[in-house]
Amino acid sequence: QVQLVESGGGLVQPGGSLRLSCAASGNIFSINAMYWYRQAPGKGRELVAAITGSGITSSADSVKGRFTISGNNAKTTVYLQMNALKPEDTALYYCSSRGLVRGTLQPFEVWGQGTLVTVSS
């Protein structure tokens, strides 16, 4: 009933920038929060940044000062602006959303398919 689609990944040189997008669609009554996770090859999934429905943001220490999460008013579209990228930022980046389904007001938690970010010279 709720789907997420990420975009914006790609190959970038160290020190470069990318902006990831995540669009939520479907029977959405409200979004409590949107998250960006990443998983590097051979490593576990890491929470990178989060934004609440009211716009409160937080990011992991590993990306603080370099990555910024933002979104539209309804938080149905969120972005991850990534600057000063490092090779260790190479990972599959996933968007996740938690909220309530329109009509039933049942909670949902959905994940996107992921978008690959490769930082290499």
Side-chain angles (χ1 to χ4, degrees):
Q1 290 181 315
V2 179
Q3 301 84 34
L4 298 178
V5 177
E6 302 109 328
S7 61
L11 173 64
V12 63
Q13 292 186 340
S17 298
L18 279 176
R19 189 175 84 152
L20 306 183
S21 299
C22 174
S25 62
N27 291 329
I28 300 170
F29 174 74
S30 65
I31 289 180
N32 296 337
M34 298 277 274
Y35 308 86
W36 282 103
Y37 288 82
R38 68 184 180 186
Q39 187 164 18
K43 295 188 177 182
R45 189 170 291 181
E46 175 190 17
L47 177 60
V48 175
I51 185 168
T52 68
S54 59
I56 299 171
T57 63
S58 185
S59 59
D61 288 343
S62 58
V63 304
K64 206 175 293 286
R66 300 188 298 123
F67 292 10
T68 303
I69 188 170
S70 62
N72 62 357
N73 285 341
K75 303 304 179 291
T76 52
T77 302
V78 294
Y79 307 96
L80 186 67
Q81 178 66 43
M82 305 185 296
N83 299 327
L85 282 161
K86 306 174 181 179
E88 51 263 43
D89 295 318
T90 295
L92 191 59
Y93 284 72
Y94 296 89
C95 179
S96 176
S97 175
R98 297 174 188 172
L100 298 177
V101 175
R102 185 175 59 227
T104 66
L105 297 184
Q106 291 297 306
F108 69 80
E109 179 179 351
V110 294
W111 291 79
Q113 293 298 309
T115 184
L116 182 62
V117 172
T118 303
V119 184
S120 175
S121 56

